[in-house]
Amino acid sequence: MPLVFYRPHKVPCRLCGNGFERRESAADTRLSHCHKCGQAVTPLLPDSVSSPQSARKPSIREAKAAGFTVLKKISSGEYEKQ
Ligand SMILES: [Zn+2]
């Protein structure tokens, strides 16, 4: 059963802080409101929590572009000196 993290719309919540976790099966209906304070909550699925955008792999094109830029600068600089 996946662990779903619920984040209240206004954080920190006086009753549930930055949110709460709930272990639920596929048959369970998602909560739409905090069961403690009653405000609307957003479910964050494990997938979206464990792969933040900063940890995203750069695409091959991006990596190549960065590598080519560095090599190009070095080689052109050396060529000009000779
Ligand atoms: Zn709450």
Side-chain angles (χ1 to χ4, degrees):
M1 292 212 297
L3 198 63
V4 180
F5 187 82
Y6 285 95
R7 192 179 60 193
H9 284 198
K10 274 189 184 177
V11 288
C13 171
R14 198 163 50 87
L15 295 176
C16 59
N18 288 322
F20 56 92
E21 289 173 332
R22 198 170 86 109
R23 201 167 280 281
E24 51 188 49
S25 70
D28 280 331
T29 48
R30 290 273 148 72
L31 296 177
S32 57
H33 291 84
C34 175
H35 54 79
K36 288 179 186 169
C37 66
Q39 75 168 303
V41 288
T42 306
L44 299 175
L45 295 175
D47 282 346
S48 60
V49 171
S50 62
S51 55
Q53 285 193 338
S54 58
R56 169 181 84 91
K57 274 190 196 171
S59 72
I60 294 172
R61 205 162 139 246
E62 283 171 340
K64 272 188 178 176
F68 275 130
T69 303
V70 171
L71 289 175
K72 208 173 164 187
K73 276 181 185 170
I74 291 170
S75 61
S76 70
E78 284 177 353
Y79 181 79
E80 283 173 5
K81 280 178 192 168
Q82 283 172 351

